[in-house]
Amino acid sequence: MKVAKFGGSSVASAEKFMKVADIVMTDQERRIVVVSAPGKRFKDDIKMTDLLIALTSQILTGNSYAEEFKAIIVRYKEIADGLKLKSYICDEIAENLQDIIDTYKEDANRLLDSVKASGEDNNARLMAFYLQSLGLKAQYVNPKEAGIFVTDEPGNAQVLKQSYRELANLREREEILVIPGFFGYSEQGNIVTFPRGGSDITGSIVAAGVKATMYENFTDVDSIVCVNPTIVEKPKDIKEITYREMRELSYAGFSVFHDEALHPVVSQKIPVCVKNTNNPQAPGTLIVAERDYSKQQVAGIASDEGFCSIYVSKYLMNREIGFGRRLLQILEDEQISYEHTPSGIDDMSIILRKCQLTNGKEERVLERIQKELNVDDVKVQYGLALIMVVGEGMTSSVGVAAKATNAFSEAGVNLELINQGSSEVSMMFGVKETELNKAVQSLYKAYFEQPVSALTL
């Protein structure tokens, strides 16, 4: 049994629905289909989820929402008409959406979660109707019926363990099951959405629950590439990558997979294949528990901008018990999360997203660090970009780090910081945002265009 998840770009129009149906029909093992809300049909189009958020905003401000409501129904009607489905289906979608509004209009969090979830929910209903119209034995399955139970945290749901026991029952169903992504139900009966990339999370949860032989994630690219294609022209495809490598790359900026989405399938060691809806014959990228590292120690290079560094210096910092805890407590008090904390004997840098130091937080944090920790120096450095070189093969190879430092030297890029994760799966480098592109291009050349020369231990 395979679970096939189709992202927003793969279910954005009637034409895309037809491609999905063809893909499902070509492999009888594809018994469970998970769908996102309709995505963009063209570059400047608006995603269904964004239309739903705009609708919610109008409702909560007390304004007329007729125009936003109509735009949503029109999108679904265009798909239904293109598939020659009966008109009453869109009438049911409109009634369902209005019921949600009437039920939750006084509760902002519940309204937003329920309205956003309707994007996936109604698209799954449409997909099931379409597959039935083709003569297939298909059935829409609501997440509550499927058994997807989650914590009662609007916009940040976490799956409950009991879900996997419930989902296992789906193996007994004979139909092609169409399940909406992005949300589940709390034990209190509330609709609750996952964080961003939630449909990927749903697909992974379902695949783990039914113990699928494969979790296929269909998107609009032939495979995952090893570096941002807007920085390096026509980068190499990743044919095979491990769960750990993919999670590190996703966390560090890869947009193909949400970094939490792999967790459910990892414990079951269910392989994941990222494929292209527009070119399903392409092999795609296979995500597995282990791979052969001898041919390519580094799996990919991820990069992202928008970081800053809080630099703290104090003589004999290493001798002061509790210093790190008290420093991080100041950040916690301000509801600030951090990404990395490279440190030395007398100094420490805290890397975080610069957007977290707004509304006076920077001034308060610096003042508290100076006053409460009596430091010699504390300052914030902005304009920082992070680059992550990821590969499980680095742990058993000589010369991998040297390639990176040589690449920065050849590009004339100064390193602001360097840190290797305790897992030794990744190396993190900090550079000025203005030098990000040439740094990544030089790293790509070193790791992916030159022959593998590192010695395996």
Side-chain angles (χ1 to χ4, degrees), residues 24-67:
V24 172
M25 289 189 291
T26 57
D27 189 342
Q28 292 183 351
E29 287 296 301
R30 292 183 179 124
R31 296 259 309 284
I32 299 180
V33 176
V34 176
V35 299
S36 296
K40 291 186 177 183
R41 297 160 294 184
F42 45 86
K43 183 179 179 181
D44 297 324
D45 197 13
I46 302 175
K47 295 179 180 179
M48 175 61 75
T49 301
D50 292 332
L51 292 175
L52 292 165
I53 291 172
L55 169 67
T56 306
S57 178
Q58 289 294 98
I59 296 167
L60 293 177
T61 53
N63 297 325
S64 170
Y65 56 85
E67 183 177 339

mmCIF file of all heavy atoms in Angstrom, residues 24-67:
data_model
loop_
_atom_site.group_PDB
_atom_site.id
_atom_site.type_symbol
_atom_site.label_atom_id
_atom_site.label_comp_id
_atom_site.label_asym_id
_atom_site.label_seq_id
_atom_site.Cartn_x
_atom_site.Cartn_y
_atom_site.Cartn_z
ATOM 1 N N VAL A 24 -2.938 8.089 -10.021
ATOM 2 C CA VAL A 24 -3.557 7.126 -9.105
ATOM 3 C C VAL A 24 -3.932 5.844 -9.846
ATOM 4 O O VAL A 24 -3.724 4.724 -9.350
ATOM 5 C CB VAL A 24 -4.804 7.746 -8.434
ATOM 6 C CG1 VAL A 24 -5.571 6.690 -7.635
ATOM 7 C CG2 VAL A 24 -4.400 8.904 -7.520
ATOM 8 N N MET A 25 -4.452 5.985 -11.054
ATOM 9 C CA MET A 25 -4.921 4.813 -11.806
ATOM 10 C C MET A 25 -3.789 3.959 -12.356
ATOM 11 O O MET A 25 -4.005 2.794 -12.683
ATOM 12 C CB MET A 25 -5.846 5.263 -12.940
ATOM 13 C CG MET A 25 -7.190 5.775 -12.447
ATOM 14 S SD MET A 25 -8.397 6.069 -13.774
ATOM 15 C CE MET A 25 -7.662 7.477 -14.609
ATOM 16 N N THR A 26 -2.585 4.520 -12.480
ATOM 17 C CA THR A 26 -1.475 3.748 -13.058
ATOM 18 C C THR A 26 -0.823 2.799 -12.058
ATOM 19 O O THR A 26 0.024 1.992 -12.442
ATOM 20 C CB THR A 26 -0.385 4.688 -13.623
ATOM 21 O OG1 THR A 26 0.082 5.555 -12.586
ATOM 22 C CG2 THR A 26 -0.903 5.495 -14.784
ATOM 23 N N ASP A 27 -1.180 2.911 -10.783
ATOM 24 C CA ASP A 27 -0.570 2.040 -9.772
ATOM 25 C C ASP A 27 -1.621 1.650 -8.738
ATOM 26 O O ASP A 27 -2.076 2.476 -7.951
ATOM 27 C CB ASP A 27 0.593 2.770 -9.090
ATOM 28 C CG ASP A 27 1.414 1.852 -8.195
ATOM 29 O OD1 ASP A 27 0.916 0.769 -7.830
ATOM 30 O OD2 ASP A 27 2.561 2.224 -7.853
ATOM 31 N N GLN A 28 -2.003 0.408 -8.745
ATOM 32 C CA GLN A 28 -3.042 -0.071 -7.837
ATOM 33 C C GLN A 28 -2.620 -0.009 -6.375
ATOM 34 O O GLN A 28 -3.456 -0.092 -5.473
ATOM 35 C CB GLN A 28 -3.443 -1.500 -8.198
ATOM 36 C CG GLN A 28 -4.159 -1.629 -9.538
ATOM 37 C CD GLN A 28 -4.611 -3.045 -9.831
ATOM 38 O OE1 GLN A 28 -4.254 -3.985 -9.117
ATOM 39 N NE2 GLN A 28 -5.407 -3.213 -10.880
ATOM 40 N N GLU A 29 -1.330 0.138 -6.129
ATOM 41 C CA GLU A 29 -0.840 0.246 -4.755
ATOM 42 C C GLU A 29 -1.156 1.611 -4.145
ATOM 43 O O GLU A 29 -1.103 1.778 -2.924
ATOM 44 C CB GLU A 29 0.667 -0.006 -4.723
ATOM 45 C CG GLU A 29 1.063 -1.456 -4.925
ATOM 46 C CD GLU A 29 0.552 -2.335 -3.792
ATOM 47 O OE1 GLU A 29 0.909 -2.070 -2.623
ATOM 48 O OE2 GLU A 29 -0.217 -3.274 -4.071
ATOM 49 N N ARG A 30 -1.459 2.603 -4.997
ATOM 50 C CA ARG A 30 -1.779 3.941 -4.490
ATOM 51 C C ARG A 30 -3.218 3.940 -3.983
ATOM 52 O O ARG A 30 -4.149 4.366 -4.657
ATOM 53 C CB ARG A 30 -1.576 4.991 -5.592
ATOM 54 C CG ARG A 30 -0.102 5.164 -5.961
ATOM 55 C CD ARG A 30 0.118 6.257 -6.997
ATOM 56 N NE ARG A 30 1.534 6.394 -7.278
ATOM 57 C CZ ARG A 30 2.097 6.304 -8.489
ATOM 58 N NH1 ARG A 30 1.319 6.093 -9.545
ATOM 59 N NH2 ARG A 30 3.393 6.433 -8.639
ATOM 60 N N ARG A 31 -3.367 3.501 -2.747
ATOM 61 C CA ARG A 31 -4.699 3.292 -2.186
ATOM 62 C C ARG A 31 -5.174 4.471 -1.342
ATOM 63 O O ARG A 31 -6.364 4.598 -1.073
ATOM 64 C CB ARG A 31 -4.670 2.028 -1.328
ATOM 65 C CG ARG A 31 -4.389 0.747 -2.128
ATOM 66 C CD ARG A 31 -5.649 0.003 -2.366
ATOM 67 N NE ARG A 31 -6.400 -0.189 -1.130
ATOM 68 C CZ ARG A 31 -6.090 -1.075 -0.193
ATOM 69 N NH1 ARG A 31 -5.042 -1.852 -0.343
ATOM 70 N NH2 ARG A 31 -6.836 -1.164 0.894
ATOM 71 N N ILE A 32 -4.249 5.308 -0.882
ATOM 72 C CA ILE A 32 -4.639 6.463 -0.066
ATOM 73 C C ILE A 32 -4.058 7.727 -0.683
ATOM 74 O O ILE A 32 -2.862 7.801 -0.980
ATOM 75 C CB ILE A 32 -4.159 6.319 1.386
ATOM 76 C CG1 ILE A 32 -4.791 5.081 2.033
ATOM 77 C CG2 ILE A 32 -4.501 7.568 2.194
ATOM 78 C CD1 ILE A 32 -4.377 4.845 3.468
ATOM 79 N N VAL A 33 -4.923 8.701 -0.891
ATOM 80 C CA VAL A 33 -4.538 9.974 -1.501
ATOM 81 C C VAL A 33 -4.769 11.094 -0.485
ATOM 82 O O VAL A 33 -5.868 11.216 0.068
ATOM 83 C CB VAL A 33 -5.361 10.247 -2.783
ATOM 84 C CG1 VAL A 33 -5.025 11.619 -3.365
ATOM 85 C CG2 VAL A 33 -5.116 9.147 -3.816
ATOM 86 N N VAL A 34 -3.754 11.887 -0.229
ATOM 87 C CA VAL A 34 -3.856 13.044 0.666
ATOM 88 C C VAL A 34 -3.683 14.293 -0.183
ATOM 89 O O VAL A 34 -2.732 14.384 -0.971
ATOM 90 C CB VAL A 34 -2.793 12.993 1.775
ATOM 91 C CG1 VAL A 34 -2.842 14.258 2.633
ATOM 92 C CG2 VAL A 34 -2.977 11.760 2.641
ATOM 93 N N VAL A 35 -4.595 15.258 -0.047
ATOM 94 C CA VAL A 35 -4.533 16.443 -0.899
ATOM 95 C C VAL A 35 -4.424 17.730 -0.077
ATOM 96 O O VAL A 35 -4.928 17.830 1.030
ATOM 97 C CB VAL A 35 -5.755 16.555 -1.837
ATOM 98 C CG1 VAL A 35 -5.830 15.358 -2.759
ATOM 99 C CG2 VAL A 35 -7.041 16.706 -1.041
ATOM 100 N N SER A 36 -3.751 18.705 -0.678
ATOM 101 C CA SER A 36 -3.681 20.055 -0.125
ATOM 102 C C SER A 36 -4.849 20.874 -0.665
ATOM 103 O O SER A 36 -5.624 20.405 -1.498
ATOM 104 C CB SER A 36 -2.358 20.714 -0.523
ATOM 105 O OG SER A 36 -1.261 20.034 0.030
ATOM 106 N N ALA A 37 -4.928 22.127 -0.224
ATOM 107 C CA ALA A 37 -5.874 23.072 -0.822
ATOM 108 C C ALA A 37 -5.319 23.512 -2.172
ATOM 109 O O ALA A 37 -4.112 23.411 -2.421
ATOM 110 C CB ALA A 37 -6.044 24.274 0.100
ATOM 111 N N PRO A 38 -6.167 23.993 -3.085
ATOM 112 C CA PRO A 38 -5.678 24.449 -4.387
ATOM 113 C C PRO A 38 -4.602 25.519 -4.236
ATOM 114 O O PRO A 38 -4.762 26.482 -3.493
ATOM 115 C CB PRO A 38 -6.936 25.019 -5.060
ATOM 116 C CG PRO A 38 -8.068 24.306 -4.406
ATOM 117 C CD PRO A 38 -7.646 24.104 -2.985
ATOM 118 N N GLY A 39 -3.484 25.318 -4.927
ATOM 119 C CA GLY A 39 -2.390 26.282 -4.904
ATOM 120 C C GLY A 39 -2.489 27.252 -6.064
ATOM 121 O O GLY A 39 -3.567 27.479 -6.626
ATOM 122 N N LYS A 40 -1.345 27.803 -6.444
ATOM 123 C CA LYS A 40 -1.323 28.781 -7.540
ATOM 124 C C LYS A 40 -1.413 28.079 -8.891
ATOM 125 O O LYS A 40 -0.746 27.089 -9.139
ATOM 126 C CB LYS A 40 -0.041 29.604 -7.479
ATOM 127 C CG LYS A 40 0.040 30.560 -6.302
ATOM 128 C CD LYS A 40 1.282 31.432 -6.405
ATOM 129 C CE LYS A 40 1.330 32.451 -5.274
ATOM 130 N NZ LYS A 40 2.493 33.362 -5.397
ATOM 131 N N ARG A 41 -2.232 28.663 -9.775
ATOM 132 C CA ARG A 41 -2.334 28.157 -11.150
ATOM 133 C C ARG A 41 -1.313 28.821 -12.052
ATOM 134 O O ARG A 41 -0.933 28.282 -13.086
ATOM 135 C CB ARG A 41 -3.741 28.415 -11.685
ATOM 136 C CG ARG A 41 -4.851 27.691 -10.936
ATOM 137 C CD ARG A 41 -6.198 28.318 -11.161
ATOM 138 N NE ARG A 41 -6.270 29.666 -10.586
ATOM 139 C CZ ARG A 41 -7.355 30.415 -10.567
ATOM 140 N NH1 ARG A 41 -8.472 29.958 -11.125
ATOM 141 N NH2 ARG A 41 -7.341 31.624 -10.013
ATOM 142 N N PHE A 42 -0.870 29.989 -11.682
ATOM 143 C CA PHE A 42 0.141 30.744 -12.425
ATOM 144 C C PHE A 42 0.870 31.633 -11.427
ATOM 145 O O PHE A 42 0.476 31.730 -10.244
ATOM 146 C CB PHE A 42 -0.506 31.575 -13.552
ATOM 147 C CG PHE A 42 -1.747 32.310 -13.135
ATOM 148 C CD1 PHE A 42 -1.672 33.575 -12.553
ATOM 149 C CD2 PHE A 42 -3.008 31.737 -13.306
ATOM 150 C CE1 PHE A 42 -2.811 34.246 -12.157
ATOM 151 C CE2 PHE A 42 -4.161 32.406 -12.895
ATOM 152 C CZ PHE A 42 -4.063 33.665 -12.328
ATOM 153 N N LYS A 43 1.940 32.270 -11.864
ATOM 154 C CA LYS A 43 2.862 32.967 -10.967
ATOM 155 C C LYS A 43 2.175 33.953 -10.027
ATOM 156 O O LYS A 43 2.447 33.974 -8.822
ATOM 157 C CB LYS A 43 3.936 33.690 -11.794
ATOM 158 C CG LYS A 43 4.992 34.394 -10.939
ATOM 159 C CD LYS A 43 6.041 35.073 -11.792
ATOM 160 C CE LYS A 43 7.067 35.802 -10.928
ATOM 161 N NZ LYS A 43 8.088 36.496 -11.738
ATOM 162 N N ASP A 44 1.310 34.796 -10.541
ATOM 163 C CA ASP A 44 0.694 35.848 -9.727
ATOM 164 C C ASP A 44 -0.669 35.455 -9.162
ATOM 165 O O ASP A 44 -1.418 36.310 -8.693
ATOM 166 C CB ASP A 44 0.565 37.138 -10.560
ATOM 167 C CG ASP A 44 1.918 37.692 -10.977
ATOM 168 O OD1 ASP A 44 2.858 37.588 -10.176
ATOM 169 O OD2 ASP A 44 2.028 38.213 -12.107
ATOM 170 N N ASP A 45 -0.979 34.180 -9.221
ATOM 171 C CA ASP A 45 -2.257 33.702 -8.683
ATOM 172 C C ASP A 45 -2.231 33.741 -7.155
ATOM 173 O O ASP A 45 -1.182 33.906 -6.529
ATOM 174 C CB ASP A 45 -2.505 32.280 -9.179
ATOM 175 C CG ASP A 45 -3.964 31.851 -9.033
ATOM 176 O OD1 ASP A 45 -4.807 32.729 -8.779
ATOM 177 O OD2 ASP A 45 -4.237 30.645 -9.181
ATOM 178 N N ILE A 46 -3.397 33.570 -6.541
ATOM 179 C CA ILE A 46 -3.513 33.548 -5.085
ATOM 180 C C ILE A 46 -3.878 32.144 -4.642
ATOM 181 O O ILE A 46 -4.806 31.528 -5.179
ATOM 182 C CB ILE A 46 -4.594 34.547 -4.606
ATOM 183 C CG1 ILE A 46 -4.267 35.960 -5.083
ATOM 184 C CG2 ILE A 46 -4.689 34.519 -3.075
ATOM 185 C CD1 ILE A 46 -5.348 36.972 -4.762
ATOM 186 N N LYS A 47 -3.168 31.628 -3.662
ATOM 187 C CA LYS A 47 -3.471 30.303 -3.131
ATOM 188 C C LYS A 47 -4.821 30.311 -2.410
ATOM 189 O O LYS A 47 -5.213 31.325 -1.829
ATOM 190 C CB LYS A 47 -2.383 29.865 -2.146
ATOM 191 C CG LYS A 47 -1.010 29.665 -2.757
ATOM 192 C CD LYS A 47 -0.019 29.245 -1.676
ATOM 193 C CE LYS A 47 1.364 29.032 -2.252
ATOM 194 N NZ LYS A 47 2.336 28.634 -1.197
ATOM 195 N N MET A 48 -5.479 29.167 -2.425
ATOM 196 C CA MET A 48 -6.756 29.057 -1.728
ATOM 197 C C MET A 48 -6.613 29.406 -0.246
ATOM 198 O O MET A 48 -7.472 30.091 0.327
ATOM 199 C CB MET A 48 -7.310 27.636 -1.881
ATOM 200 C CG MET A 48 -8.577 27.377 -1.080
ATOM 201 S SD MET A 48 -9.964 28.449 -1.573
ATOM 202 C CE MET A 48 -10.435 27.655 -3.125
ATOM 203 N N THR A 49 -5.538 28.942 0.381
ATOM 204 C CA THR A 49 -5.346 29.221 1.805
ATOM 205 C C THR A 49 -5.287 30.720 2.063
ATOM 206 O O THR A 49 -5.829 31.208 3.070
ATOM 207 C CB THR A 49 -4.071 28.536 2.324
ATOM 208 O OG1 THR A 49 -4.179 27.119 2.107
ATOM 209 C CG2 THR A 49 -3.879 28.796 3.809
ATOM 210 N N ASP A 50 -4.645 31.463 1.176
ATOM 211 C CA ASP A 50 -4.579 32.920 1.345
ATOM 212 C C ASP A 50 -5.955 33.557 1.173
ATOM 213 O O ASP A 50 -6.291 34.536 1.857
ATOM 214 C CB ASP A 50 -3.581 33.526 0.353
ATOM 215 C CG ASP A 50 -2.144 33.132 0.675
ATOM 216 O OD1 ASP A 50 -1.862 32.886 1.860
ATOM 217 O OD2 ASP A 50 -1.318 33.078 -0.250
ATOM 218 N N LEU A 51 -6.768 33.025 0.264
ATOM 219 C CA LEU A 51 -8.138 33.515 0.111
ATOM 220 C C LEU A 51 -8.936 33.272 1.388
ATOM 221 O O LEU A 51 -9.729 34.126 1.814
ATOM 222 C CB LEU A 51 -8.821 32.815 -1.073
ATOM 223 C CG LEU A 51 -8.307 33.132 -2.479
ATOM 224 C CD1 LEU A 51 -9.014 32.244 -3.508
ATOM 225 C CD2 LEU A 51 -8.513 34.592 -2.823
ATOM 226 N N LEU A 52 -8.717 32.122 1.997
ATOM 227 C CA LEU A 52 -9.440 31.775 3.215
ATOM 228 C C LEU A 52 -8.999 32.642 4.393
ATOM 229 O O LEU A 52 -9.815 33.030 5.239
ATOM 230 C CB LEU A 52 -9.232 30.296 3.536
ATOM 231 C CG LEU A 52 -9.884 29.322 2.540
ATOM 232 C CD1 LEU A 52 -9.328 27.917 2.712
ATOM 233 C CD2 LEU A 52 -11.400 29.319 2.696
ATOM 234 N N ILE A 53 -7.720 32.968 4.442
ATOM 235 C CA ILE A 53 -7.225 33.854 5.502
ATOM 236 C C ILE A 53 -7.806 35.250 5.330
ATOM 237 O O ILE A 53 -8.191 35.902 6.311
ATOM 238 C CB ILE A 53 -5.679 33.885 5.488
ATOM 239 C CG1 ILE A 53 -5.119 32.525 5.928
ATOM 240 C CG2 ILE A 53 -5.150 34.990 6.397
ATOM 241 C CD1 ILE A 53 -3.623 32.390 5.767
ATOM 242 N N ALA A 54 -7.885 35.707 4.080
ATOM 243 C CA ALA A 54 -8.484 37.026 3.811
ATOM 244 C C ALA A 54 -9.955 37.044 4.213
ATOM 245 O O ALA A 54 -10.453 38.035 4.761
ATOM 246 C CB ALA A 54 -8.332 37.373 2.326
ATOM 247 N N LEU A 55 -10.649 35.954 3.947
ATOM 248 C CA LEU A 55 -12.053 35.837 4.352
ATOM 249 C C LEU A 55 -12.181 35.944 5.870
ATOM 250 O O LEU A 55 -13.022 36.695 6.386
ATOM 251 C CB LEU A 55 -12.612 34.494 3.874
ATOM 252 C CG LEU A 55 -13.989 34.089 4.422
ATOM 253 C CD1 LEU A 55 -15.069 35.024 3.899
ATOM 254 C CD2 LEU A 55 -14.303 32.634 4.057
ATOM 255 N N THR A 56 -11.346 35.228 6.584
ATOM 256 C CA THR A 56 -11.379 35.250 8.046
ATOM 257 C C THR A 56 -11.120 36.647 8.584
ATOM 258 O O THR A 56 -11.780 37.098 9.531
ATOM 259 C CB THR A 56 -10.328 34.272 8.617
ATOM 260 O OG1 THR A 56 -10.532 32.981 8.065
ATOM 261 C CG2 THR A 56 -10.422 34.199 10.126
ATOM 262 N N SER A 57 -10.182 37.345 7.973
ATOM 263 C CA SER A 57 -9.852 38.705 8.405
ATOM 264 C C SER A 57 -11.059 39.632 8.286
ATOM 265 O O SER A 57 -11.341 40.438 9.185
ATOM 266 C CB SER A 57 -8.685 39.244 7.576
ATOM 267 O OG SER A 57 -8.378 40.565 7.947
ATOM 268 N N GLN A 58 -11.776 39.510 7.179
ATOM 269 C CA GLN A 58 -12.970 40.339 6.979
ATOM 270 C C GLN A 58 -14.041 40.027 8.028
ATOM 271 O O GLN A 58 -14.695 40.928 8.561
ATOM 272 C CB GLN A 58 -13.538 40.103 5.579
ATOM 273 C CG GLN A 58 -12.688 40.689 4.452
ATOM 274 C CD GLN A 58 -12.659 42.203 4.513
ATOM 275 O OE1 GLN A 58 -11.709 42.799 5.036
ATOM 276 N NE2 GLN A 58 -13.685 42.843 3.988
ATOM 277 N N ILE A 59 -14.209 38.763 8.328
ATOM 278 C CA ILE A 59 -15.217 38.365 9.311
ATOM 279 C C ILE A 59 -14.871 38.918 10.689
ATOM 280 O O ILE A 59 -15.724 39.483 11.384
ATOM 281 C CB ILE A 59 -15.329 36.826 9.373
ATOM 282 C CG1 ILE A 59 -15.827 36.267 8.036
ATOM 283 C CG2 ILE A 59 -16.270 36.389 10.508
ATOM 284 C CD1 ILE A 59 -15.668 34.771 7.908
ATOM 285 N N LEU A 60 -13.630 38.796 11.080
ATOM 286 C CA LEU A 60 -13.212 39.201 12.421
ATOM 287 C C LEU A 60 -13.220 40.714 12.610
ATOM 288 O O LEU A 60 -13.359 41.195 13.741
ATOM 289 C CB LEU A 60 -11.815 38.645 12.723
ATOM 290 C CG LEU A 60 -11.725 37.118 12.844
ATOM 291 C CD1 LEU A 60 -10.293 36.679 13.068
ATOM 292 C CD2 LEU A 60 -12.619 36.620 13.978
ATOM 293 N N THR A 61 -13.078 41.455 11.515
ATOM 294 C CA THR A 61 -13.124 42.919 11.622
ATOM 295 C C THR A 61 -14.544 43.453 11.483
ATOM 296 O O THR A 61 -14.765 44.667 11.549
ATOM 297 C CB THR A 61 -12.221 43.568 10.556
ATOM 298 O OG1 THR A 61 -12.563 43.065 9.256
ATOM 299 C CG2 THR A 61 -10.753 43.276 10.844
ATOM 300 N N GLY A 62 -15.500 42.548 11.263
ATOM 301 C CA GLY A 62 -16.896 42.955 11.167
ATOM 302 C C GLY A 62 -17.302 43.521 9.829
ATOM 303 O O GLY A 62 -18.396 44.083 9.692
ATOM 304 N N ASN A 63 -16.446 43.360 8.828
ATOM 305 C CA ASN A 63 -16.747 43.878 7.494
ATOM 306 C C ASN A 63 -17.510 42.843 6.673
ATOM 307 O O ASN A 63 -17.558 41.658 7.020
ATOM 308 C CB ASN A 63 -15.451 44.248 6.767
ATOM 309 C CG ASN A 63 -14.703 45.362 7.465
ATOM 310 O OD1 ASN A 63 -15.305 46.267 8.033
ATOM 311 N ND2 ASN A 63 -13.378 45.299 7.430
ATOM 312 N N SER A 64 -18.069 43.304 5.576
ATOM 313 C CA SER A 64 -18.732 42.392 4.654
ATOM 314 C C SER A 64 -17.694 41.453 4.049
ATOM 315 O O SER A 64 -16.615 41.874 3.648
ATOM 316 C CB SER A 64 -19.437 43.167 3.540
ATOM 317 O OG SER A 64 -19.889 42.279 2.529
ATOM 318 N N TYR A 65 -18.019 40.166 3.999
ATOM 319 C CA TYR A 65 -17.076 39.195 3.443
ATOM 320 C C TYR A 65 -17.630 38.523 2.185
ATOM 321 O O TYR A 65 -17.127 37.489 1.742
ATOM 322 C CB TYR A 65 -16.723 38.136 4.489
ATOM 323 C CG TYR A 65 -17.904 37.401 5.079
ATOM 324 C CD1 TYR A 65 -18.439 36.277 4.436
ATOM 325 C CD2 TYR A 65 -18.490 37.801 6.272
ATOM 326 C CE1 TYR A 65 -19.515 35.587 4.967
ATOM 327 C CE2 TYR A 65 -19.573 37.117 6.819
ATOM 328 C CZ TYR A 65 -20.078 36.002 6.159
ATOM 329 O OH TYR A 65 -21.145 35.316 6.688
ATOM 330 N N ALA A 66 -18.646 39.135 1.606
ATOM 331 C CA ALA A 66 -19.310 38.533 0.435
ATOM 332 C C ALA A 66 -18.347 38.341 -0.729
ATOM 333 O O ALA A 66 -18.368 37.303 -1.404
ATOM 334 C CB ALA A 66 -20.493 39.399 0.010
ATOM 335 N N GLU A 67 -17.490 39.328 -0.964
ATOM 336 C CA GLU A 67 -16.569 39.261 -2.113
ATOM 337 C C GLU A 67 -15.549 38.141 -1.917
ATOM 338 O O GLU A 67 -15.269 37.371 -2.843
ATOM 339 C CB GLU A 67 -15.851 40.603 -2.267
ATOM 340 C CG GLU A 67 -14.930 40.664 -3.479
ATOM 341 C CD GLU A 67 -14.284 42.040 -3.653
ATOM 342 O OE1 GLU A 67 -14.832 43.026 -3.111
ATOM 343 O OE2 GLU A 67 -13.244 42.112 -4.330
#
